[in-house]
Amino acid sequence: MKSLELRQLFFEFFQSKGHVIVPSAPMVVKNDPTLMFTNAGMNQFKDIFLGNRMAVNKRVANSQKCLRVSGKHNDLEEVGHDTYHHTMFEMLGNWSFGDYFKRDAINWAWEFLNDKLKIDKDRLYVTIFEGDKSELLEFDQESFDQWASNIDKNRILKGSKKDNFWEMGEMGPCGPCSEIHVDLRNESEREKIPGHELVNKGHPLVIEIWNLVFIQYNRKADGSLEILPSKHVDTGMGFERLCMVVQDKKSNYDTDIFQEIIKKISFITGKKYGVNEKWDIALRVVADHLRAVSFSIADGQLPSNNKAGYVIRRILRRAVRYGYNTLEIEEPFIYKLVPVLASTMGGQYPELQSGQGQIAKIIFEEETAFLKTLGKGLKMIDRMITDLRKEQKNVLSGKVAFEMYDTFGFPIDLTQLILKENNMDLDTKGFEDEMKNQKERSREDASVETADWMVLKETDGTEFTGYGKTEDDVIITKFRTVKVKGKETFQLVFNKTPFYAESGGQIGDSGFISSAKEKIGISDTIKENNLIIHIAVKLPSDSTAVFKASVDAEKRLMTANNHTATHLLHFALRSVLGNHVEQKGSLVTPDRLRFDFSHFSKMSKEELAKVEEQVNQLIRDNYTGRITEGVSMEKARSMGAMALFGEKYGDEVRVVEFGKSIELCGGTHVKATGSIGMMKIVSEGAIAAGIRRIEAVTGSKAEEYINDKLKTVDEIAALLKSPGNVTESVEKLITENNSLKKSMERFQIQATTIRIKELVDNSININDIKFVSGQVESESADILKNVAYQLRTSSESMVMVIGTVNAGKANILVTVTDDLVKNKKISAVSIIKEISGEINGGGGGQPFLATAGGKNPEGIQRAFEKAAEFLKSI
């Protein structure tokens, strides 16, 4: 029986039992934070089991595409080495949502296997849950009794919680299960060892084919179990294994599900299946992984370096490695298998048929990129293994493994797999230490990861159509992925484009591409090796479609305004300053322009005004642009065109003329200068010796700039209540303010002097030293220092400690008269260091005057006391 017939027979059987056949859910999970991939048929029904939503149909059946490669259900390491494990597999299942339970589930499973498929009952065994005292779970007597009515009791085996209590994860729906196993060994082997001794023992021909799960509990986060509102049935039967049984094969890979794919691989590689065990493993790996990757891409998950995308990339890279290392294929070939897979499984899963072109192209890109990495990495690791054996060692240095990972991009999981195959280990701790160090370095030095181009269609290049239009119909000819600082973007190349790529100082266009199905933003357009590259935030779901490429027309026009204005500015600068002026760089954006030029001195206000006036006159004259394509460089020079700094020109150039302004330029420009509106210089300054920079705005941005300035003037006039000459009013205000400042300073000096004299009058004598201390209100540290200094110079044998508080912070000033510094070696610095801790601060100075600042004003009084104690100790 062919696989297509078998799947259909299953559907028809359960339809006869009142089940509705429902489609498979996507294999890639998008709306469940606990899962990246559907790993069991019941995932899409989890909310029903939990009672969060009602079931539309009480009984359903389907064939669910599943992936088990990460997390609890991780079969990746075993795939290919045995005959029955897979990454992607189909799970036939029937469900009851609060309807039938153990009796019907068991009876119908037996009926389908024994009556419909005619599987010999003497080759079947069943297991039931034996119970678990730690969970207070009893032996599943109900299942035992029901099985006993169908099969000999000696074929009913008790299973532990590990084997016969199904849980989808650390928490969620769960319950006891009953597994059906089949013994496919030949008669002589069966006579030697009874089948029941090999159930759940990992024998490749004594395998589980169907698991009947009786969901009646919910595992909570704390590990406890609660009974679900309704009892449910969830059964899952591995379709690949069932095909093996029905088609009387000894391996899943011998069934018609895989054989067409394996034959194609053998044809491409020249390695026949069944001849060499290493070849067989590689052939199985490639056939299995092709399915996993293709179904994932069909569901919208592209290979990447993050989460689900990284899992898919790992699977594909494992297949590529086996193809390269064992099947000796050093070029992309897995993508060639996609049509065979689509032919084999596209009937049940039409997304394979409709998306096979896209799937193949994405796989091709991934293969091409990774083969470059593999070629270098595999040779390196082979040499390392040889060296280890010579040295009689079996552990590869973590530092060496990290160098392969970091420098050459060789995946660490593949390094571990290769070492394992050679009975060697990896110094994991050493690798992790190197990784940690690298991450710390990466914080300061961001890395860029650029994938190879995936070519969809060979073309001679990209035709730029943007001089005459801002929209055009395009197709994607190639794309690649780029990762910068952990952010992934996509670079697209079209057969033609209206998007201008950043060059000649003009920034790239932005906009979007759209098809009948989607609209994707283009954030920037750049040029690399004469290739026009469009930066997109995501890849189209169908990269083979025809797209309408639409430039942001408003930004384009504003950019064109500024670009033409730089030409006019260049001309005006040469007219005003002289012919020594040459362009040394520029930046043209929608919002502003920047123009760098050679000139020996700062431009005067008068010169800037003349340049600006001349540019605006050229704008008002509304010169029509005259653009000549394909001009020889010699002819362009004869026309008076100026070549711009930093630009490379070919044999033929593009000449752009606006009046007497003639330049070689490949940028976009206005049709006539009048559309610029006006230009306003906002700054001029030096950026290097002999190089000046002007920044300016045009059009509406110039209006905004001028209006902002006028608004500020109006606001000042309103504040001054002077609607007339604002300049005179401001000058008058400045004069008055300066006069007031001087008056305030005189007042502060007087007040500070009076206060300090009061403190001097209240001084105390300590060891024949006049000790002056106290707090002074003074907003000016300079005034305080000056007053204190004058008093110090007019006194003898005096130490003065003054404290102030400004803006919540404490300040202390210490002065010591010259005689004490000279004769008794008393230093203001020593005192300030002794007392500054009281204000939670520090300071310094000279022997005769020192200061300190701190955060604790409350400590000023204690500082005075400590200064007195210091003098007492002398």
Side-chain angles (χ1 to χ4, degrees):
M1 185 184 298
K2 297 292 185 181
S3 57
L4 290 173
E5 298 172 303
L6 180 56
R7 190 190 291 112
Q8 188 59 35
L9 182 63
F10 177 84
F11 292 160
E12 291 173 356
F13 176 80
F14 279 98
Q15 278 181 316
S16 71
K17 304 299 183 183
H19 290 67
V20 175
I21 308 303
V22 298
S24 170
M27 191 171 73
V28 179
V29 178
K30 299 294 186 183
N31 56 355
D32 188 340
T34 66
L35 290 172
M36 287 193 292
F37 302 101
T38 298
N39 58 20
M42 60 78 63
N43 291 157
Q44 65 172 305
F45 306 118
K46 185 170 66 173
D47 287 348
I48 298 175
F49 295 140
L50 290 170
N52 294 334
R53 66 180 174 95
M54 297 294 294
V56 177
N57 301 293
K58 292 286 187 179
R59 301 180 183 187
V60 299
N62 82 342
S63 180
Q64 173 65 51
K65 47 190 178 182
C66 302
L67 185 71
R68 290 186 182 177
V69 71
S70 59
K72 175 184 174 183
H73 301 291
N74 191 335
D75 295 338
L76 181 60
E77 303 302 324
E78 298 173 60
V79 172
H81 290 275
D82 61 30
T83 59
Y84 56 93
H85 275 101
H86 304 287
T87 50
M88 182 269 164
F89 61 95
E90 284 187 80
M91 184 74 82
L92 300 178
N94 58 288
W95 288 268
S96 165
F97 305 121
D99 189 14
Y100 63 84
F101 202 48
K102 294 179 181 179
R103 183 192 66 185
D104 289 336
I106 290 171
N107 288 341
W108 291 339
W110 182 256
E111 180 183 350
F112 182 71
L113 295 177
N114 191 248
D115 296 346
K116 294 294 182 181
L117 300 183
K118 307 299 181 183
I119 298 175
D120 186 357
K121 65 180 181 180
D122 290 334
R123 289 183 174 272
L124 296 174
Y125 295 89
V126 298
T127 63
I128 58 173
F129 183 47
E130 67 182 3
D132 188 287
K133 291 182 179 179
S134 66
E135 299 268 12
L136 301 178
L137 295 171
E138 297 180 351
F139 169 67
D140 190 355
Q141 186 66 51
E142 183 180 355
S143 292
F144 178 86
D145 293 342
Q146 198 58 51
W147 277 119
S149 67
N150 292 295
I151 194 172
D152 291 341
K153 291 182 180 180
N154 60 5
R155 291 184 174 274
I156 306 173
L157 310 176
K158 292 181 179 180
S160 66
K161 179 184 173 186
K162 176 180 176 293
D163 293 323
N164 283 90
F165 193 87
W166 191 92
E167 302 192 56
M168 67 165 292
E170 294 182 359
M171 51 185 177
C174 56
C177 63
S178 180
E179 299 174 341
I180 304 172
H181 296 252
V182 63
D183 185 352
L184 300 177
R185 296 174 300 156
N186 58 40
E187 292 298 330
S188 62
E189 291 176 335
R190 293 175 66 202
E191 289 176 2
K192 292 177 183 178
I193 303 175
H196 67 83
E197 294 183 9
L198 300 176
V199 170
N200 281 328
K201 301 299 183 182
H203 195 287
L205 295 178
V206 182
I207 57 174
E208 171 198 341
I209 56 171
W210 207 342
N211 190 9
L212 315 180
V213 179
F214 308 118
I215 298 178
Q216 57 194 88
Y217 302 107
N218 179 45
R219 176 76 68 183
K220 300 177 70 175
D222 62 4
S224 63
L225 295 171
E226 65 178 3
I227 297 176
L228 289 169
S230 299
K231 295 179 180 180
H232 313 291
V233 172
D234 161 26
T235 83
M237 178 160 52
F239 182 57
E240 294 79 7
R241 295 187 182 187
L242 182 63
C243 286
M244 177 176 68
V245 175
V246 173
Q247 295 177 11
D248 194 23
K249 303 296 183 181
K250 302 300 182 183
S251 164
N252 291 357
Y253 295 95
D254 292 339
T255 66
D256 67 333
I257 298 175
F258 289 96
Q259 273 303 296
E260 290 303 313
I261 298 172
I262 290 175
K263 287 177 183 177
K264 182 67 172 179
I265 302 171
S266 295
F267 175 78
I268 293 172
T269 64
K271 304 293 191 294
K272 291 185 177 181
Y273 189 60
V275 174
N276 178 293
E277 180 59 24
K278 286 188 176 180
W279 293 357
D280 290 351
I281 291 173
L283 290 166
R284 290 194 290 262
V285 166
V286 174
D288 175 273
H289 292 6
L290 165 73
R291 299 187 344 141
V293 173
S294 296
F295 272 98
S296 295
I297 295 173
D299 278 347
Q301 180 58 65
L302 300 180
S304 71
N305 289 330
N306 298 305
K307 299 181 181 179
Y310 177 65
V311 174
I312 301 307
R313 177 165 283 170
R314 278 187 62 203
I315 295 172
L316 180 55
R317 288 185 168 187
R318 185 170 185 257
V320 174
R321 182 177 73 85
Y322 272 96
Y324 183 97
N325 212 28
T326 305
L327 301 178
E328 300 176 321
I329 298 296
E330 299 184 7
E331 61 183 26
F333 75 101
I334 298 174
Y335 77 98
K336 297 177 182 178
L337 307 174
V338 175
V340 182
L341 175 64
S343 176
T344 303
M345 303 188 71
Q348 177 65 23
Y349 301 103
E351 61 269 27
L352 288 178
Q353 289 280 14
S354 61
Q356 64 175 301
Q358 174 79 352
I359 294 167
K361 288 163 187 171
I362 291 171
I363 291 176
F364 174 81
E365 180 198 27
E366 288 287 315
E367 287 188 89
T368 302
F370 188 55
L371 279 168
K372 292 184 179 180
T373 298
L374 271 180
K376 297 177 181 178
L378 287 172
K379 290 176 182 178
M380 289 178 63
I381 200 167
D382 282 344
R383 289 195 297 269
M384 293 172 190
I385 289 172
T386 300
D387 292 341
L388 287 172
R389 282 176 176 157
K390 288 179 180 179
E391 298 170 5
Q392 296 185 337
K393 297 178 180 179
N394 64 348
V395 178
L396 180 66
S397 162
K399 185 175 183 179
V400 172
F402 179 78
E403 182 181 350
M404 290 183 63
Y405 168 82
D406 188 45
T407 305
F408 303 102
F410 197 81
I412 188 61
D413 59 309
L414 293 189
T415 300
Q416 291 173 307
L417 282 172
I418 295 170
L419 290 172
K420 181 180 178 182
E421 291 170 357
N422 287 273
N423 297 315
M424 293 183 175
D425 294 319
L426 171 69
D427 173 18
T428 306
K429 185 180 184 303
F431 177 83
E432 291 174 350
D433 289 343
E434 292 294 327
M435 177 66 81
K436 181 179 179 181
N437 293 335
Q438 193 266 356
K439 287 181 178 178
E440 291 176 356
R441 292 192 299 269
S442 293
R443 293 191 186 107
E444 300 177 359
D445 184 19
S447 62
V448 178
E449 298 177 21
T450 304
D452 289 330
W453 287 109
M454 176 179 164
V455 179
L456 305 181
K457 183 178 181 180
E458 294 289 352
T459 60
D460 294 332
T462 301
E463 177 190 357
F464 177 61
T465 61
Y467 289 135
K469 60 178 75 174
T470 55
E471 286 189 343
D472 209 343
D473 292 331
V474 304
I475 60 172
I476 299 173
T477 59
K478 64 172 71 175
F479 67 85
R480 70 180 178 187
T481 304
V482 176
K483 188 176 182 182
V484 181
K485 295 183 180 180
K487 184 179 180 180
E488 197 170 56
T489 59
F490 301 93
Q491 298 186 346
L492 313 178
V493 176
F494 308 145
N495 63 325
K496 56 182 177 176
T497 182
F499 285 83
Y500 180 84
E502 180 180 357
S503 60
Q506 179 176 329
I507 68 164
D509 281 331
S510 60
F512 60 89
I513 58 172
S514 59
S515 66
K517 295 182 179 179
E518 58 189 332
K519 180 178 179 180
I520 295 175
I522 301 297
S523 59
D524 195 6
T525 310
I526 61 175
K527 187 178 288 186
E528 183 178 297
N529 298 323
N530 291 321
L531 195 64
I532 299 176
I533 299 171
H534 308 78
I535 310 300
V537 295
K538 68 174 183 176
L539 286 177
S541 59
D542 180 8
S543 61
T544 63
V546 175
F547 294 88
K548 180 176 288 295
S550 303
V551 175
D552 186 322
E554 182 179 356
K555 286 186 177 179
R556 162 70 77 81
L557 177 59
M558 293 173 68
T559 304
N561 285 344
N562 286 333
H563 201 155
T564 302
T566 62
H567 287 212
L568 304 183
L569 177 61
H570 192 189
F571 177 81
L573 284 167
R574 289 171 65 88
S575 298
V576 173
L577 301 178
N579 289 335
H580 66 279
V581 170
E582 292 182 356
Q583 180 176 335
K584 297 299 182 182
S586 68
L587 174 66
V588 179
T589 76
D591 297 326
R592 65 190 178 99
L593 67 89
R594 189 180 72 203
F595 190 80
D596 302 335
F597 60 99
S598 56
H599 187 53
F600 45 81
S601 63
K602 179 180 174 64
M603 291 181 67
S604 66
K605 292 181 180 179
E606 292 75 20
E607 288 171 333
L608 284 171
K610 285 182 180 179
V611 167
E612 188 176 284
E613 181 181 349
Q614 191 169 133
V615 170
N616 283 318
Q617 184 59 55
L618 292 170
I619 292 172
R620 288 191 295 272
D621 288 343
N622 197 26
Y623 285 105
T624 300
R626 181 185 173 192
I627 298 175
T628 310
E629 306 275 358
V631 179
S632 68
M633 180 61 77
E634 184 179 352
K635 182 177 180 181
R637 288 197 182 99
S638 68
M639 294 169 63
M642 289 185 294
L644 304 184
F645 172 80
E647 288 295 304
K648 294 180 180 180
Y649 301 100
D651 294 333
E652 294 185 342
V653 294
R654 182 172 183 258
V655 179
V656 177
E657 299 178 66
F658 286 97
K660 294 182 180 181
S661 168
I662 308 172
E663 297 193 12
L664 304 182
C665 183
T668 61
H669 290 274
V670 297
K671 292 181 178 179
T673 59
S675 65
I676 299 173
M678 66 180 300
M679 187 199 77
K680 180 65 184 174
I681 295 174
V682 298
S683 68
E684 188 274 343
I687 59 170
I691 306 295
R692 310 295 297 179
R693 170 173 290 174
I694 282 178
E695 293 189 344
V697 287
T698 66
S700 60
K701 293 297 180 180
E703 290 179 8
E704 290 177 13
Y705 178 82
I706 293 171
N707 288 335
D708 284 343
K709 294 294 184 183
L710 291 174
K711 181 181 179 182
T712 301
V713 172
D714 289 342
E715 289 173 349
I716 292 172
L719 289 171
L720 296 175
K721 297 180 180 180
S722 174
N725 193 320
V726 176
T727 302
E728 289 182 0
S729 298
V730 171
E731 288 174 347
K732 180 180 178 182
L733 182 63
I734 291 172
T735 301
E736 292 174 352
N737 186 54
N738 288 335
S739 177
L740 286 172
K741 275 186 177 181
K742 291 178 181 178
S743 298
M744 286 293 295
E745 285 178 4
R746 288 194 295 270
F747 173 76
Q748 287 181 9
I749 291 171
Q750 292 173 358
T752 301
T753 301
I754 292 170
R755 172 57 178 158
I756 290 178
K757 284 184 177 180
E758 289 177 356
L759 295 176
V760 171
D761 293 340
N762 293 308
S763 63
I764 61 175
N765 188 292
I766 302 177
N767 291 332
D768 296 328
I769 297 172
K770 184 185 291 185
F771 177 57
V772 179
S773 66
Q775 195 163 326
V776 175
E777 291 184 6
S778 177
E779 296 180 0
S780 173
D782 289 336
I783 290 175
L784 183 63
K785 285 181 181 181
N786 289 334
V787 173
Y789 184 79
Q790 290 174 8
L791 287 173
R792 184 193 73 82
T793 54
S794 62
S795 305
E796 289 187 352
S797 299
M798 184 179 74
V799 172
M800 183 164 56
V801 181
I802 304 296
T804 64
V805 178
N806 288 313
K809 293 183 178 181
N811 294 281
I812 295 177
L813 179 146
V814 177
T815 61
V816 180
T817 55
D818 290 341
D819 62 313
L820 292 179
V821 172
K822 182 178 180 180
N823 299 327
K824 292 193 174 184
K825 307 299 181 184
I826 297 174
S827 171
V829 175
S830 299
I831 297 173
I832 206 74
K833 288 183 177 179
E834 183 73 18
I835 68 177
S836 60
E838 300 301 323
I839 59 172
N840 296 337
Q846 298 176 324
F848 58 86
L849 190 150
T851 60
K855 299 178 181 180
N856 181 28
E858 288 79 10
I860 291 178
Q861 184 59 42
R862 175 58 188 153
F864 296 156
E865 295 170 0
K866 201 164 186 178
E869 292 172 4
F870 177 84
L871 294 177
K872 289 177 183 178
S873 65
I874 295 176

